[in-house]
PDB file of all heavy atoms in Angstrom:
ATOM      1  N   ALA A 905       0.862  -1.200   0.013  1.00 60.00           N
ATOM      2  CA  ALA A 905      -0.015   0.023  -0.014  1.00 60.00           C
ATOM      3  C   ALA A 905       0.882   1.230  -0.024  1.00 60.00           C
ATOM      4  O   ALA A 905       2.013   1.206   0.480  1.00 60.00           O
ATOM      5  CB  ALA A 905      -0.876   0.025   1.230  1.00 60.00           C
ATOM      6  N   ALA A 906       0.416   2.294  -0.583  1.00 60.00           N
ATOM      7  CA  ALA A 906       1.139   3.527  -0.608  1.00 60.00           C
ATOM      8  C   ALA A 906       1.242   4.056   0.869  1.00 60.00           C
ATOM      9  O   ALA A 906       0.397   3.760   1.755  1.00 60.00           O
ATOM     10  CB  ALA A 906       0.381   4.603  -1.432  1.00 60.00           C
ATOM     11  N   PRO A 907       2.290   4.758   1.223  1.00 63.00           N
ATOM     12  CA  PRO A 907       2.460   5.254   2.592  1.00 63.00           C
ATOM     13  C   PRO A 907       1.229   6.064   3.004  1.00 63.00           C
ATOM     14  O   PRO A 907       0.798   6.971   2.262  1.00 63.00           O
ATOM     15  CB  PRO A 907       3.679   6.158   2.488  1.00 63.00           C
ATOM     16  CG  PRO A 907       4.444   5.627   1.337  1.00 63.00           C
ATOM     17  CD  PRO A 907       3.430   5.182   0.346  1.00 63.00           C
ATOM     18  N   GLY A 908       0.717   5.756   4.095  1.00 63.00           N
ATOM     19  CA  GLY A 908      -0.472   6.428   4.694  1.00 63.00           C
ATOM     20  C   GLY A 908      -1.787   5.940   4.140  1.00 63.00           C
ATOM     21  O   GLY A 908      -2.850   6.324   4.569  1.00 63.00           O
ATOM     22  N   ALA A 909      -1.765   5.079   3.151  1.00 64.00           N
ATOM     23  CA  ALA A 909      -3.028   4.535   2.525  1.00 64.00           C
ATOM     24  C   ALA A 909      -3.491   3.384   3.359  1.00 64.00           C
ATOM     25  O   ALA A 909      -2.761   2.615   3.944  1.00 64.00           O
ATOM     26  CB  ALA A 909      -2.820   4.042   1.091  1.00 64.00           C
ATOM     27  N   ARG A 910      -4.819   3.277   3.435  1.00 67.00           N
ATOM     28  CA  ARG A 910      -5.428   2.133   4.163  1.00 67.00           C
ATOM     29  C   ARG A 910      -5.543   1.000   3.227  1.00 67.00           C
ATOM     30  O   ARG A 910      -6.103   1.045   2.176  1.00 67.00           O
ATOM     31  CB  ARG A 910      -6.806   2.569   4.725  1.00 67.00           C
ATOM     32  CG  ARG A 910      -7.426   1.540   5.605  1.00 67.00           C
ATOM     33  CD  ARG A 910      -8.816   2.060   6.096  1.00 67.00           C
ATOM     34  NE  ARG A 910      -9.321   1.154   7.051  1.00 67.00           N
ATOM     35  CZ  ARG A 910     -10.041   0.075   6.731  1.00 67.00           C
ATOM     36  NH1 ARG A 910     -10.200  -0.237   5.440  1.00 67.00           N
ATOM     37  NH2 ARG A 910     -10.530  -0.716   7.648  1.00 67.00           N
ATOM     38  N   ARG A 911      -5.014  -0.203   3.684  1.00 69.00           N
ATOM     39  CA  ARG A 911      -5.098  -1.376   2.857  1.00 69.00           C
ATOM     40  C   ARG A 911      -6.418  -2.123   3.139  1.00 69.00           C
ATOM     41  O   ARG A 911      -6.810  -2.294   4.325  1.00 69.00           O
ATOM     42  CB  ARG A 911      -3.948  -2.307   3.258  1.00 69.00           C
ATOM     43  CG  ARG A 911      -3.879  -3.567   2.317  1.00 69.00           C
ATOM     44  CD  ARG A 911      -2.731  -4.391   2.664  1.00 69.00           C
ATOM     45  NE  ARG A 911      -1.484  -3.674   2.345  1.00 69.00           N
ATOM     46  CZ  ARG A 911      -0.289  -4.152   2.660  1.00 69.00           C
ATOM     47  NH1 ARG A 911      -0.136  -5.321   3.285  1.00 69.00           N
ATOM     48  NH2 ARG A 911       0.806  -3.445   2.357  1.00 69.00           N
ATOM     49  N   GLU A 912      -7.140  -2.534   2.148  1.00 70.00           N
ATOM     50  CA  GLU A 912      -8.381  -3.204   2.293  1.00 70.00           C
ATOM     51  C   GLU A 912      -8.153  -4.678   2.638  1.00 70.00           C
ATOM     52  O   GLU A 912      -7.244  -5.305   2.095  1.00 70.00           O
ATOM     53  CB  GLU A 912      -9.240  -3.169   1.032  1.00 70.00           C
ATOM     54  CG  GLU A 912      -9.752  -1.768   0.703  1.00 70.00           C
ATOM     55  CD  GLU A 912     -10.753  -1.300   1.754  1.00 70.00           C
ATOM     56  OE1 GLU A 912     -11.590  -2.082   2.168  1.00 70.00           O
ATOM     57  OE2 GLU A 912     -10.671  -0.139   2.151  1.00 70.00           O
ATOM     58  N   PRO A 913      -8.941  -5.235   3.592  1.00 75.00           N
ATOM     59  CA  PRO A 913      -8.717  -6.708   3.931  1.00 75.00           C
ATOM     60  C   PRO A 913      -9.236  -7.528   2.818  1.00 75.00           C
ATOM     61  O   PRO A 913     -10.144  -7.248   2.096  1.00 75.00           O
ATOM     62  CB  PRO A 913      -9.557  -6.833   5.184  1.00 75.00           C
ATOM     63  CG  PRO A 913     -10.624  -5.820   5.130  1.00 75.00           C
ATOM     64  CD  PRO A 913      -9.947  -4.623   4.364  1.00 75.00           C
ATOM     65  N   ALA A 914      -8.676  -8.760   2.718  1.00 79.00           N
ATOM     66  CA  ALA A 914      -9.215  -9.767   1.811  1.00 79.00           C
ATOM     67  C   ALA A 914     -10.578 -10.185   2.353  1.00 79.00           C
ATOM     68  O   ALA A 914     -10.776 -10.144   3.534  1.00 79.00           O
ATOM     69  CB  ALA A 914      -8.275 -10.965   1.713  1.00 79.00           C
ATOM     70  N   ARG A 915     -11.487 -10.538   1.419  1.00 82.00           N
ATOM     71  CA  ARG A 915     -12.864 -10.806   1.842  1.00 82.00           C
ATOM     72  C   ARG A 915     -13.366 -12.036   1.065  1.00 82.00           C
ATOM     73  O   ARG A 915     -13.139 -12.172  -0.148  1.00 82.00           O
ATOM     74  CB  ARG A 915     -13.731  -9.630   1.599  1.00 82.00           C
ATOM     75  CG  ARG A 915     -15.025  -9.727   2.246  1.00 82.00           C
ATOM     76  CD  ARG A 915     -15.758  -8.443   2.036  1.00 82.00           C
ATOM     77  NE  ARG A 915     -16.304  -8.385   0.689  1.00 82.00           N
ATOM     78  CZ  ARG A 915     -17.369  -7.668   0.327  1.00 82.00           C
ATOM     79  NH1 ARG A 915     -17.916  -6.879   1.204  1.00 82.00           N
ATOM     80  NH2 ARG A 915     -17.751  -7.722  -0.877  1.00 82.00           N
ATOM     81  N   GLY A 916     -13.913 -12.965   1.823  1.00 82.00           N
ATOM     82  CA  GLY A 916     -14.630 -14.114   1.198  1.00 82.00           C
ATOM     83  C   GLY A 916     -16.098 -14.011   1.522  1.00 82.00           C
ATOM     84  O   GLY A 916     -16.445 -13.766   2.662  1.00 82.00           O
ATOM     85  N   VAL A 917     -16.967 -14.134   0.541  1.00 83.00           N
ATOM     86  CA  VAL A 917     -18.388 -14.043   0.728  1.00 83.00           C
ATOM     87  C   VAL A 917     -19.083 -15.382   0.358  1.00 83.00           C
ATOM     88  O   VAL A 917     -18.516 -16.193  -0.310  1.00 83.00           O
ATOM     89  CB  VAL A 917     -19.006 -12.855  -0.072  1.00 83.00           C
ATOM     90  CG1 VAL A 917     -18.454 -11.588   0.372  1.00 83.00           C
ATOM     91  CG2 VAL A 917     -18.775 -13.097  -1.552  1.00 83.00           C
ATOM     92  N   ALA A 918     -20.309 -15.476   0.837  1.00 83.00           N
ATOM     93  CA  ALA A 918     -21.039 -16.748   0.576  1.00 83.00           C
ATOM     94  C   ALA A 918     -21.263 -16.865  -0.920  1.00 83.00           C
ATOM     95  O   ALA A 918     -21.861 -15.951  -1.544  1.00 83.00           O
ATOM     96  CB  ALA A 918     -22.406 -16.676   1.300  1.00 83.00           C
ATOM     97  N   PRO A 919     -20.802 -17.963  -1.573  1.00 82.00           N
ATOM     98  CA  PRO A 919     -20.940 -18.081  -3.019  1.00 82.00           C
ATOM     99  C   PRO A 919     -22.359 -18.537  -3.429  1.00 82.00           C
ATOM    100  O   PRO A 919     -22.708 -18.356  -4.608  1.00 82.00           O
ATOM    101  CB  PRO A 919     -19.944 -19.122  -3.408  1.00 82.00           C
ATOM    102  CG  PRO A 919     -19.738 -19.932  -2.142  1.00 82.00           C
ATOM    103  CD  PRO A 919     -19.948 -19.046  -0.988  1.00 82.00           C
ATOM    104  N   TYR A 920     -23.144 -19.030  -2.536  1.00 81.00           N
ATOM    105  CA  TYR A 920     -24.487 -19.575  -2.808  1.00 81.00           C
ATOM    106  C   TYR A 920     -25.506 -19.034  -1.816  1.00 81.00           C
ATOM    107  O   TYR A 920     -25.174 -18.783  -0.691  1.00 81.00           O
ATOM    108  CB  TYR A 920     -24.518 -21.042  -2.746  1.00 81.00           C
ATOM    109  CG  TYR A 920     -23.438 -21.732  -3.563  1.00 81.00           C
ATOM    110  CD1 TYR A 920     -22.374 -22.356  -2.958  1.00 81.00           C
ATOM    111  CD2 TYR A 920     -23.556 -21.727  -5.005  1.00 81.00           C
ATOM    112  CE1 TYR A 920     -21.389 -22.957  -3.809  1.00 81.00           C
ATOM    113  CE2 TYR A 920     -22.582 -22.352  -5.766  1.00 81.00           C
ATOM    114  CZ  TYR A 920     -21.507 -22.941  -5.140  1.00 81.00           C
ATOM    115  OH  TYR A 920     -20.543 -23.535  -5.876  1.00 81.00           O
ATOM    116  N   THR A 921     -26.710 -18.894  -2.299  1.00 84.00           N
ATOM    117  CA  THR A 921     -27.820 -18.442  -1.344  1.00 84.00           C
ATOM    118  C   THR A 921     -28.355 -19.710  -0.721  1.00 84.00           C
ATOM    119  O   THR A 921     -28.242 -20.829  -1.250  1.00 84.00           O
ATOM    120  CB  THR A 921     -28.885 -17.694  -2.123  1.00 84.00           C
ATOM    121  OG1 THR A 921     -29.413 -18.591  -3.174  1.00 84.00           O
ATOM    122  CG2 THR A 921     -28.423 -16.434  -2.692  1.00 84.00           C
ATOM    123  N   GLY A 922     -28.905 -19.551   0.441  1.00 87.00           N
ATOM    124  CA  GLY A 922     -29.457 -20.665   1.174  1.00 87.00           C
ATOM    125  C   GLY A 922     -28.499 -21.487   2.017  1.00 87.00           C
ATOM    126  O   GLY A 922     -28.849 -22.456   2.613  1.00 87.00           O
ATOM    127  N   VAL A 923     -27.248 -21.040   2.091  1.00 87.00           N
ATOM    128  CA  VAL A 923     -26.282 -21.751   2.943  1.00 87.00           C
ATOM    129  C   VAL A 923     -25.916 -20.837   4.062  1.00 87.00           C
ATOM    130  O   VAL A 923     -25.410 -19.686   3.899  1.00 87.00           O
ATOM    131  CB  VAL A 923     -25.002 -22.147   2.147  1.00 87.00           C
ATOM    132  CG1 VAL A 923     -23.961 -22.777   2.993  1.00 87.00           C
ATOM    133  CG2 VAL A 923     -25.353 -23.008   0.961  1.00 87.00           C
ATOM    134  N   ARG A 924     -26.191 -21.334   5.310  1.00 89.00           N
ATOM    135  CA  ARG A 924     -25.886 -20.552   6.506  1.00 89.00           C
ATOM    136  C   ARG A 924     -24.507 -20.909   7.109  1.00 89.00           C
ATOM    137  O   ARG A 924     -24.125 -22.076   7.053  1.00 89.00           O
ATOM    138  CB  ARG A 924     -26.967 -20.773   7.575  1.00 89.00           C
ATOM    139  CG  ARG A 924     -28.285 -20.280   7.232  1.00 89.00           C
ATOM    140  CD  ARG A 924     -29.273 -20.422   8.426  1.00 89.00           C
ATOM    141  NE  ARG A 924     -28.746 -19.779   9.639  1.00 89.00           N
ATOM    142  CZ  ARG A 924     -28.826 -18.521   9.954  1.00 89.00           C
ATOM    143  NH1 ARG A 924     -29.332 -17.651   9.090  1.00 89.00           N
ATOM    144  NH2 ARG A 924     -28.360 -18.000  11.076  1.00 89.00           N
ATOM    145  N   LEU A 925     -23.880 -19.962   7.700  1.00 87.00           N
ATOM    146  CA  LEU A 925     -22.618 -20.190   8.496  1.00 87.00           C
ATOM    147  C   LEU A 925     -22.937 -20.007   9.937  1.00 87.00           C
ATOM    148  O   LEU A 925     -23.413 -18.955  10.393  1.00 87.00           O
ATOM    149  CB  LEU A 925     -21.535 -19.261   8.020  1.00 87.00           C
ATOM    150  CG  LEU A 925     -20.262 -19.336   8.809  1.00 87.00           C
ATOM    151  CD1 LEU A 925     -19.553 -20.644   8.667  1.00 87.00           C
ATOM    152  CD2 LEU A 925     -19.328 -18.198   8.417  1.00 87.00           C
ATOM    153  N   SER A 926     -22.748 -21.058  10.761  1.00 81.00           N
ATOM    154  CA  SER A 926     -22.889 -20.985  12.166  1.00 81.00           C
ATOM    155  C   SER A 926     -21.464 -20.993  12.741  1.00 81.00           C
ATOM    156  O   SER A 926     -20.594 -21.776  12.313  1.00 81.00           O
ATOM    157  CB  SER A 926     -23.629 -22.184  12.701  1.00 81.00           C
ATOM    158  OG  SER A 926     -24.906 -22.252  12.103  1.00 81.00           O
ATOM    159  N   LEU A 927     -21.214 -20.126  13.766  1.00 72.00           N
ATOM    160  CA  LEU A 927     -19.866 -20.022  14.323  1.00 72.00           C
ATOM    161  C   LEU A 927     -19.846 -20.722  15.672  1.00 72.00           C
ATOM    162  O   LEU A 927     -20.782 -20.643  16.425  1.00 72.00           O
ATOM    163  CB  LEU A 927     -19.543 -18.552  14.565  1.00 72.00           C
ATOM    164  CG  LEU A 927     -19.652 -17.657  13.306  1.00 72.00           C
ATOM    165  CD1 LEU A 927     -19.506 -16.213  13.746  1.00 72.00           C
ATOM    166  CD2 LEU A 927     -18.633 -18.027  12.301  1.00 72.00           C
ATOM    167  N   SER A 928     -18.777 -21.390  15.906  1.00 66.00           N
ATOM    168  CA  SER A 928     -18.596 -22.026  17.216  1.00 66.00           C
ATOM    169  C   SER A 928     -17.586 -21.284  18.095  1.00 66.00           C
ATOM    170  O   SER A 928     -17.346 -21.582  19.237  1.00 66.00           O
ATOM    171  CB  SER A 928     -18.158 -23.443  17.076  1.00 66.00           C
ATOM    172  OG  SER A 928     -16.798 -23.491  16.602  1.00 66.00           O
ATOM    173  N   THR A 929     -16.894 -20.365  17.478  1.00 68.00           N
ATOM    174  CA  THR A 929     -15.934 -19.524  18.184  1.00 68.00           C
ATOM    175  C   THR A 929     -16.413 -18.150  18.317  1.00 68.00           C
ATOM    176  O   THR A 929     -17.534 -17.826  17.905  1.00 68.00           O
ATOM    177  CB  THR A 929     -14.575 -19.592  17.450  1.00 68.00           C
ATOM    178  OG1 THR A 929     -14.792 -19.036  16.127  1.00 68.00           O
ATOM    179  CG2 THR A 929     -14.089 -20.944  17.299  1.00 68.00           C
ATOM    180  N   ALA A 930     -15.601 -17.213  18.806  1.00 64.00           N
ATOM    181  CA  ALA A 930     -15.990 -15.895  18.946  1.00 64.00           C
ATOM    182  C   ALA A 930     -16.034 -15.125  17.698  1.00 64.00           C
ATOM    183  O   ALA A 930     -16.151 -13.911  17.617  1.00 64.00           O
ATOM    184  CB  ALA A 930     -15.048 -15.209  19.933  1.00 64.00           C
ATOM    185  N   GLY A 931     -15.898 -15.788  16.559  1.00 65.00           N
ATOM    186  CA  GLY A 931     -15.985 -15.176  15.255  1.00 65.00           C
ATOM    187  C   GLY A 931     -14.591 -14.756  14.756  1.00 65.00           C
ATOM    188  O   GLY A 931     -14.489 -14.064  13.742  1.00 65.00           O
ATOM    189  N   GLU A 932     -13.529 -15.206  15.378  1.00 74.00           N
ATOM    190  CA  GLU A 932     -12.155 -14.827  14.937  1.00 74.00           C
ATOM    191  C   GLU A 932     -11.304 -16.059  15.036  1.00 74.00           C
ATOM    192  O   GLU A 932     -11.323 -16.835  15.885  1.00 74.00           O
ATOM    193  CB  GLU A 932     -11.567 -13.796  15.835  1.00 74.00           C
ATOM    194  CG  GLU A 932     -10.232 -13.418  15.375  1.00 74.00           C
ATOM    195  CD  GLU A 932      -9.605 -12.310  16.251  1.00 74.00           C
ATOM    196  OE1 GLU A 932     -10.097 -11.131  16.144  1.00 74.00           O
ATOM    197  OE2 GLU A 932      -8.757 -12.563  17.043  1.00 74.00           O
ATOM    198  N   LEU A 933     -10.510 -16.300  13.898  1.00 79.00           N
ATOM    199  CA  LEU A 933      -9.591 -17.383  13.777  1.00 79.00           C
ATOM    200  C   LEU A 933      -8.235 -16.722  13.660  1.00 79.00           C
ATOM    201  O   LEU A 933      -8.018 -15.858  12.807  1.00 79.00           O
ATOM    202  CB  LEU A 933      -9.897 -18.212  12.621  1.00 79.00           C
ATOM    203  CG  LEU A 933      -8.944 -19.349  12.209  1.00 79.00           C
ATOM    204  CD1 LEU A 933      -8.756 -20.370  13.315  1.00 79.00           C
ATOM    205  CD2 LEU A 933      -9.335 -19.975  10.943  1.00 79.00           C
ATOM    206  N   SER A 934      -7.262 -17.106  14.494  1.00 79.00           N
ATOM    207  CA  SER A 934      -5.909 -16.520  14.447  1.00 79.00           C
ATOM    208  C   SER A 934      -4.928 -17.583  13.858  1.00 79.00           C
ATOM    209  O   SER A 934      -4.901 -18.659  14.318  1.00 79.00           O
ATOM    210  CB  SER A 934      -5.520 -16.143  15.879  1.00 79.00           C
ATOM    211  OG  SER A 934      -4.241 -15.602  15.845  1.00 79.00           O
ATOM    212  N   LEU A 935      -4.170 -17.099  12.845  1.00 79.00           N
ATOM    213  CA  LEU A 935      -3.224 -17.985  12.215  1.00 79.00           C
ATOM    214  C   LEU A 935      -1.831 -17.502  12.485  1.00 79.00           C
ATOM    215  O   LEU A 935      -1.507 -16.287  12.324  1.00 79.00           O
ATOM    216  CB  LEU A 935      -3.454 -18.043  10.673  1.00 79.00           C
ATOM    217  CG  LEU A 935      -4.834 -18.398  10.216  1.00 79.00           C
ATOM    218  CD1 LEU A 935      -5.053 -18.097   8.739  1.00 79.00           C
ATOM    219  CD2 LEU A 935      -5.111 -19.876  10.484  1.00 79.00           C
ATOM    220  N   GLY A 936      -0.859 -18.403  12.835  1.00 77.00           N
ATOM    221  CA  GLY A 936       0.483 -18.026  13.117  1.00 77.00           C
ATOM    222  C   GLY A 936       1.357 -18.040  11.901  1.00 77.00           C
ATOM    223  O   GLY A 936       0.962 -18.547  10.867  1.00 77.00           O
ATOM    224  N   GLY A 937       2.588 -17.543  12.029  1.00 73.00           N
ATOM    225  CA  GLY A 937       3.532 -17.454  10.903  1.00 73.00           C
ATOM    226  C   GLY A 937       4.200 -18.785  10.551  1.00 73.00           C
ATOM    227  O   GLY A 937       3.525 -19.790  10.306  1.00 73.00           O
ATOM    228  N   ARG A 938       5.541 -18.752  10.537  1.00 69.00           N
ATOM    229  CA  ARG A 938       6.259 -19.966  10.040  1.00 69.00           C
ATOM    230  C   ARG A 938       6.082 -21.167  10.933  1.00 69.00           C
ATOM    231  O   ARG A 938       6.372 -22.292  10.526  1.00 69.00           O
ATOM    232  CB  ARG A 938       7.748 -19.598   9.906  1.00 69.00           C
ATOM    233  CG  ARG A 938       7.962 -18.662   8.788  1.00 69.00           C
ATOM    234  CD  ARG A 938       9.455 -18.510   8.487  1.00 69.00           C
ATOM    235  NE  ARG A 938       9.602 -17.462   7.506  1.00 69.00           N
ATOM    236  CZ  ARG A 938      10.464 -16.537   7.510  1.00 69.00           C
ATOM    237  NH1 ARG A 938      11.347 -16.424   8.535  1.00 69.00           N
ATOM    238  NH2 ARG A 938      10.592 -15.683   6.548  1.00 69.00           N
ATOM    239  N   ARG A 939       5.675 -21.016  12.174  1.00 72.00           N
ATOM    240  CA  ARG A 939       5.452 -22.206  13.018  1.00 72.00           C
ATOM    241  C   ARG A 939       4.120 -22.876  12.749  1.00 72.00           C
ATOM    242  O   ARG A 939       3.813 -23.907  13.338  1.00 72.00           O
ATOM    243  CB  ARG A 939       5.557 -21.766  14.493  1.00 72.00           C
ATOM    244  CG  ARG A 939       6.913 -21.154  14.801  1.00 72.00           C
ATOM    245  CD  ARG A 939       7.366 -21.737  16.095  1.00 72.00           C
ATOM    246  NE  ARG A 939       8.614 -21.108  16.490  1.00 72.00           N
ATOM    247  CZ  ARG A 939       9.805 -21.684  16.367  1.00 72.00           C
ATOM    248  NH1 ARG A 939       9.859 -22.888  15.908  1.00 72.00           N
ATOM    249  NH2 ARG A 939      10.914 -21.085  16.757  1.00 72.00           N
TER     250      ARG A 939
END
């Protein structure tokens, strides 16, 4: 991103209608680096 510009997050949306997503966590998944 250009200095001072806000980078937009990657986004995945529901590809089909009629499919619900139920969450079992607080709505956040954390992924670590090289480990």
Side-chain angles (χ1 to χ4, degrees):
R910 185 176 184 280
R911 186 179 294 175
E912 290 296 317
R915 193 173 78 156
V917 297
Y920 306 108
T921 58
V923 177
R924 291 186 56 79
L925 173 67
S926 303
L927 307 172
S928 69
T929 59
E932 181 178 289
L933 172 64
S934 180
L935 304 169
R938 290 190 184 135
R939 300 224 184 255

